[in-house]
């Protein structure tokens, strides 16, 4: 017996076996049960969604002599299943689309069925018929003999004459959801005695894009590659699909604006046979999820990202950056159909993304100064982990430039007068700045034991995670609501961390005082929680003091005299009332006038 593909072997033979399309199945079943069968039907929708399958099921149901209809046991049902029934005629309109073929069909329509109750004509790809053929069919389609039923199937209903559509009952087929496809594939896999990981079936369902026939065809190809135990890695390898974590890594690479490395990674993708079209859509799906989660904080409505993957990408991207990436990628996707090799436009999109990020920040940088400063920071951060030898911390190269310097540069070159930086660049209110400077003029006294307690509990993994996210702070300098907090923290560097505790080193003492000042703590804590994804009790220290503290810690460790870890406490913060707000004269007058109903908000 000749081999039959899976989608032919497992074609549904009863209405109950069909995956999805419940609205169509219910309507047709009721029509058959109540004997209210139309003379012409138009089935339209994407490929592989069940149009031909349901057409054959309807042909079986109207000719079935058993119960329920179709029973798939009577002679009519069996013959239709085998494609041998004389009264069910399938016509491919792609090769029979002329006027002569339609006239030949019309001549045969008047003859009564030889075996069944109805003569059923299933015309597939009906949109391929010529206008002359459609016109020749019009009269017969409108008033066919009582024993004839026409079922027209098409993927492009817009190409069919409106006069034809108006003479048919139209049913619009929709793409199947992933759950229906996966459930059907699990049934097939079980029947065929194969083993497949759920992740592999999910990937196949995604590649099928709502088509059951495509899903079974892909499944069959993958099983031919590995019929022992199919994994998601097998599917990715066969179809050139990157894993989700690699797609996220690629997006984070694009954020670094490292054009050279991005092109190198892209070249490796091309060598490995990565499907660029699929990759483009997948990247857009990830970016959409980032935007949705940032606005809703709800994982249940996301398309592809779980909580695990959200932590890998959400802290590194703003919604504005996501929309910029989406616009560039979708623009490239629209051009894929015009070229043989879509990687050309994808490569241009990557160049545009990297170059755009660079252009946005190029005027904000004094490269020599920033790079020198980064080198100084690196020399300190190399000694960040106290109890172990540490590798160089991870830096996100997308934030080499410091937007806050734009204000300084613009002020120095204000005589150029070809732009108006005051309107474009978010700056601090001068009164607020002066107030903070006045508040933190004196050194804030820090208890060294509080820092030592964090060092005793220091954890390498926590610190590396924080160091990896730290450069994101500089992106918030352009955010009016968070610029103040970002400006106070962006020059610092996380040098030690434990569960719920963080030590930040600064080069200059005024920056240390600003961060340790109790009136700033609540605002900075909220900001860090947003950036780092967890709440930390933090304390700032000047870099020279940090080196001394580290040396002292090492000496104590060698002598075995380290203090025992205990609950994290920051005496300079915990002893203060963080909610207390000192009122100015105007505010005091408002309280005296209106009482406790007055509420003050920062502008």
């Amino acid at each position: 017996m000749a081999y039959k593909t899976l989608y032919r072997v497992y074609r549904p033979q009863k209405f109950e076996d069909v995956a999805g399309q419940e609205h169509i199945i219910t309507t047709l079943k009721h029509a058959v049960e109540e004997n209210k069968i139309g003379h012409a039907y138009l089935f339209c929708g994407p490929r592989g969604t069940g149009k031909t399958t349901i057409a054959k099921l309807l042909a079986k149901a109207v000719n079935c002599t058993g119960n329920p209809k179709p029973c798939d046991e009577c002679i009519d049902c069996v013959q239709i299943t085998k494609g041998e029934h004389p009264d069910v005629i399938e016509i491919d309109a792609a090769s029979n689309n002329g006027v002569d073929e339609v006239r030949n069909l019309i001549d045969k329509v008047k003859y009564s069925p030889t075996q069944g109750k109805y003569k059923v004509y299933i015309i597939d790809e009906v949109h391929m018929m010529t206008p002359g053929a459609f016109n020749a069919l019009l009269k017969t389609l409108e008033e066919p003999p009582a024993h004839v039923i026409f079922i027209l199937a098409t993927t492009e209903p817009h190409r069919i004459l409106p006069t034809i559509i108006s003479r048919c009952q139209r049913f619009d087929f929709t793409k199947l959801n992933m759950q229906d496809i996966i459930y059907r594939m699990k049934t097939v896999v079980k029947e065929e005695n194969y083993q497949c990981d759920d992740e592999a079936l999910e990937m196949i369902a995604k590649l099928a894009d709502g088509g059951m026939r495509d899903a079974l065809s892909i499944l069959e190809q993958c099983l031919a590659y590995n019929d022992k135990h199919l994994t998601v890695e097998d599917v990715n390898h066969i179809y050139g699909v990157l894993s989700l974590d690699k797609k996220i890594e690629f997006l984070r690479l694009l954020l670094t604006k490292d054009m050279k490395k991005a092109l190198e990674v892209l070249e490796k993708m091309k060598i490995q046979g990565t499907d660029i079209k699929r990759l483009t859509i997948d990247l857009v799906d990830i970016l959409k999820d980032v935007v949705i989660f940032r606005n809703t904080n709800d994982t249940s409505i996301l398309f592809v990202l779980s909580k695990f993957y959200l932590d890998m990408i959400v802290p590194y991207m703003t919604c504005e950056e996501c929309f910029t990436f989406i616009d560039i990628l979708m623009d490239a996707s629209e051009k894929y159909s015009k070229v043989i090799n879509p990687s050309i436009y994808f490569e241009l999109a990557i160049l545009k993304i990297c170059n755009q990020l660079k252009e946005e920040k190029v005027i904000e940088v004094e490269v020599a100064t920033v790079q020198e400063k980064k080198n100084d920071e690196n020399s300190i951060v190399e000694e960040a982990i106290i109890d172990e030898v540490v590798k160089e911390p991870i830096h996100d190269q997308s934030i080499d430039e410091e937007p806050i310097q734009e204000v300084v540069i613009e002020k120095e070159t204000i005589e150029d007068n070809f732009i108006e930086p005051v309107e474009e660049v978010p700056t601090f209110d001068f009164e607020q700045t002066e107030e903070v400077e006045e508040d933190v003029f004196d050194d804030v006294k820090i208890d060294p034991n509080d820092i030592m307690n964090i060092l005793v509990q220091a954890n390498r993994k926590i610190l590396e995670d924080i160091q990896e996210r730290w450069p994101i702070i500089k992106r918030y300098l352009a955010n009016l609501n968070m610029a103040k907090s970002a400006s106070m923290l962006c020059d610092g560097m996380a040098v030690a961390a434990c569960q719920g505790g963080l030590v930040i080193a600064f080069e200059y003492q005024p920056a240390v005082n600003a961060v340790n000042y109790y009136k700033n703590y609540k605002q900075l804590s909220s900001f860090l929680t947003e950036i780092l994804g967890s709440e930390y009790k933090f304390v700032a220290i000047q870099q020279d003091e940090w080196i001394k503290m580290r040396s002292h810690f090492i000496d104590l460790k060698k002598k075995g005299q380290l203090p025992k870890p205990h609950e994290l406490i920051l005496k300079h913060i915990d002893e203060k009332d963080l909610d207390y707000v000192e009122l100015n004269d105007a505010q005091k007058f408002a309280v005296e006038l209106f009482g406790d109903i007055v509420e003050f908000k920062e502008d």
Side-chain angles (χ1 to χ4, degrees):
M1 183 177 178
Y3 176 76
K4 295 178 69 174
T5 59
L6 290 179
Y7 75 82
R8 292 182 62 193
V9 174
Y10 292 95
R11 185 188 293 273
Q13 302 303 327
K14 294 182 178 180
F15 284 129
E16 293 76 13
D17 298 335
V18 178
Q21 317 302 348
E22 289 83 0
H23 61 296
I24 297 174
I25 297 298
T26 302
T27 303
L28 294 178
K29 286 175 65 176
H30 289 170
V32 172
E33 291 170 359
E34 299 173 8
N35 198 26
K36 295 181 179 179
I37 302 168
H39 64 274
Y41 295 89
L42 175 62
F43 292 171
C44 47
R47 68 181 188 279
T49 53
K51 298 185 296 297
T52 304
T53 295
I54 293 180
K56 289 184 177 181
L57 289 177
L58 180 58
K60 290 170 70 173
V62 297
N63 285 304
C64 180
T65 57
N67 195 32
K69 302 178 183 296
C71 66
D72 201 34
E73 295 177 356
C74 67
I75 187 171
D76 289 297
C77 287
V78 172
Q79 287 186 346
I80 293 174
T81 300
K82 294 180 179 179
E84 300 173 352
H85 200 287
D87 297 323
V88 178
I89 303 97
E90 293 186 57
I91 301 172
D92 178 19
S95 55
N96 298 277
N97 56 6
V99 176
D100 293 337
E101 286 83 357
V102 172
R103 286 174 178 169
N104 184 39
L105 182 151
I106 294 172
D107 290 339
K108 295 179 180 179
V109 163
K110 57 188 176 182
Y111 298 110
S112 300
T114 58
Q115 180 177 321
K117 182 179 180 181
Y118 290 94
K119 182 178 285 189
V120 182
Y121 288 89
I122 301 174
I123 307 178
D124 205 3
E125 301 299 333
V126 71
H127 62 272
M128 300 292 290
M129 294 178 64
T130 64
F134 274 131
N135 290 325
L137 185 62
L138 273 178
K139 189 62 178 176
T140 303
L141 191 64
E142 182 177 15
E143 297 179 358
H147 58 265
V148 172
I149 299 174
F150 286 99
I151 305 177
L152 314 181
T154 178
T155 56
E156 302 180 43
H158 58 278
R159 294 177 57 182
I160 301 176
L161 293 179
T163 49
I164 293 290
I165 296 177
S166 65
R167 287 164 169 78
C168 303
Q169 290 187 26
R170 174 171 174 169
F171 291 88
D172 287 287
F173 287 65
T174 59
K175 290 184 177 181
L176 279 68
N177 60 51
M178 288 186 60
Q179 288 72 25
D180 289 337
I181 294 177
I182 292 171
Y183 179 79
R184 183 63 174 170
M185 284 194 294
K186 285 183 177 180
T187 302
V188 172
V189 167
K190 184 177 180 181
E191 290 290 330
E192 295 290 321
N193 295 317
Y194 289 117
Q195 287 187 336
C196 297
D197 290 345
D198 290 343
E199 293 81 3
L201 296 181
E202 289 177 5
M203 178 55 67
I204 292 174
K206 188 173 182 181
L207 291 170
D209 193 27
M212 181 60 73
R213 182 174 63 236
D214 288 355
L216 293 178
S217 296
I218 295 171
L219 175 63
E220 187 171 20
Q221 182 178 354
C222 293
L223 290 174
Y225 175 82
N226 184 355
D227 60 357
K228 295 180 180 179
H229 191 131
L230 186 65
T231 64
V232 68
E233 288 78 15
D234 296 329
V235 180
N236 291 338
H237 180 70
I238 295 171
Y239 281 89
V241 178
L242 291 181
S243 60
L244 187 53
D245 55 346
K246 288 185 177 180
K247 295 170 192 169
I248 293 175
E249 287 177 9
F250 186 63
L251 283 174
R252 288 170 58 176
L253 174 60
L254 296 181
L255 283 170
T256 67
K257 69 174 181 55
D258 189 342
M259 188 179 293
K260 180 180 178 181
K261 190 171 182 180
L263 292 176
E264 290 174 354
V265 173
L266 178 58
E267 186 62 28
K268 290 180 181 178
M269 292 180 188
K270 291 158 66 176
I271 294 174
Q272 295 171 358
T274 301
D275 185 347
I276 296 300
K277 293 181 180 179
R278 179 79 253 172
L279 175 61
T280 305
I281 299 302
D282 290 347
L283 292 178
V284 171
D285 286 340
I286 293 173
L287 294 167
K288 287 193 302 184
D289 276 3
V290 173
V291 174
I292 294 171
F293 182 77
R294 274 197 164 277
N295 282 275
T296 65
N297 203 35
D298 186 356
T299 58
S300 64
I301 58 177
L302 303 183
F303 296 97
V304 293
L305 296 182
S306 62
K307 186 66 173 68
F308 173 78
Y309 291 110
L310 285 169
D311 292 337
M312 294 174 60
I313 184 64
V314 169
Y316 303 93
M317 295 196 75
T318 63
C319 289
E320 291 76 11
E321 288 170 331
C322 289
F323 283 122
T324 300
F325 281 30
I326 289 173
D327 289 341
I328 296 174
L329 291 173
M330 291 306 296
D331 183 60
S333 179
E334 291 175 359
K335 299 174 182 176
Y336 287 165
S337 59
K338 302 176 183 178
V339 293
I340 298 175
N341 185 8
S343 62
I344 296 175
Y345 281 109
F346 186 76
E347 184 173 330
L348 291 174
I350 299 309
L351 296 179
K352 190 173 182 181
I353 288 173
C354 294
N355 189 56
Q356 179 176 2
L357 289 177
K358 193 170 184 179
E359 288 178 351
E360 286 178 353
K361 300 179 181 178
V362 69
I363 66 170
E364 304 172 350
V365 183
E366 289 180 348
V367 177
T369 304
V370 175
Q371 189 61 41
E372 181 181 353
K373 183 173 180 180
K374 285 293 177 186
N375 291 337
D376 291 341
E377 289 178 353
N378 288 344
S379 65
I380 293 172
V381 177
E382 286 177 354
E383 302 176 337
I385 303 296
I386 307 306
D387 53 345
E388 302 181 57
V389 178
V390 187
K391 62 183 180 180
E392 183 179 355
I394 301 170
H395 292 279
D396 190 341
Q397 296 300 321
S398 64
I399 318 295
D400 285 343
E401 303 86 7
E402 299 190 54
I404 193 64
Q405 295 186 20
E406 183 180 349
V407 180
V408 179
I409 296 171
E410 302 275 357
K411 288 181 179 178
E412 292 176 354
T413 60
I414 195 70
E415 61 271 10
D416 292 345
N417 267 337
F418 60 92
I419 58 173
E420 296 183 6
V422 175
E423 295 183 2
E424 295 180 359
V425 181
T427 58
F428 301 119
D429 188 290
F430 283 69
E431 294 181 1
Q432 292 181 356
T433 305
E434 291 172 0
E435 181 183 348
V436 171
E437 290 177 353
E438 181 181 353
D439 286 338
V440 299
F441 183 80
D442 296 328
D443 289 351
V444 179
K445 301 301 181 182
I446 304 299
D447 190 334
N449 293 325
D450 294 346
I451 299 179
M452 185 63 68
N453 186 33
I454 296 177
L455 303 187
V456 172
Q457 304 177 54
N459 182 290
R460 175 198 294 270
K461 181 65 170 62
I462 294 176
L463 178 61
E464 288 181 347
D465 289 343
I466 292 175
Q467 287 173 338
E468 190 173 7
R469 299 186 183 199
W470 196 264
I472 303 171
I473 290 174
K474 294 177 182 177
R475 297 185 184 178
Y476 286 86
L477 288 167
N479 186 315
L480 292 176
N481 295 324
M482 299 184 178
K484 180 179 177 181
S485 299
S487 66
M488 283 192 281
L489 293 170
C490 65
D491 291 331
M493 176 58 63
V495 292
C498 66
Q499 188 68 41
L502 173 63
V503 179
I504 310 170
F506 290 87
E507 184 177 0
Y508 302 110
Q509 187 62 37
V512 175
N513 295 335
V515 173
N516 287 333
Y517 188 50
Y518 76 96
K519 288 187 178 181
N520 296 331
Y521 186 85
K522 193 172 182 180
Q523 179 180 354
L524 293 176
S525 177
S526 176
F527 177 73
L528 280 177
T529 301
E530 167 75 16
I531 298 298
L532 304 180
S534 298
E535 185 175 355
Y536 291 90
K537 287 193 171 185
F538 59 91
V539 59
I541 188 172
Q542 202 267 338
Q543 290 175 359
D544 293 339
E545 294 297 322
W546 162 245
I547 294 174
K548 294 177 184 178
M549 176 69 72
R550 177 188 180 281
S551 299
H552 179 55
F553 175 87
I554 294 175
D555 290 340
L556 291 177
K557 184 177 181 181
K558 289 179 180 178
K559 297 176 183 179
Q561 298 178 356
L562 285 176
K564 292 183 179 181
H566 54 81
E567 181 183 358
L568 297 180
I569 297 174
L570 300 178
K571 296 183 179 62
H572 66 289
I573 298 297
D574 295 339
E575 294 175 353
K576 304 289 185 179
D577 182 4
L578 301 184
D579 295 323
Y580 173 76
V581 178
E582 186 175 351
L583 303 180
N584 57 34
D585 293 339
Q587 291 170 331
K588 290 178 181 178
F589 178 75
V591 172
E592 293 176 0
L593 188 62
F594 298 105
D596 295 337
I597 63 172
V598 177
E599 181 180 353
F600 300 105
K601 295 183 179 180
E602 290 189 9
D603 201 358

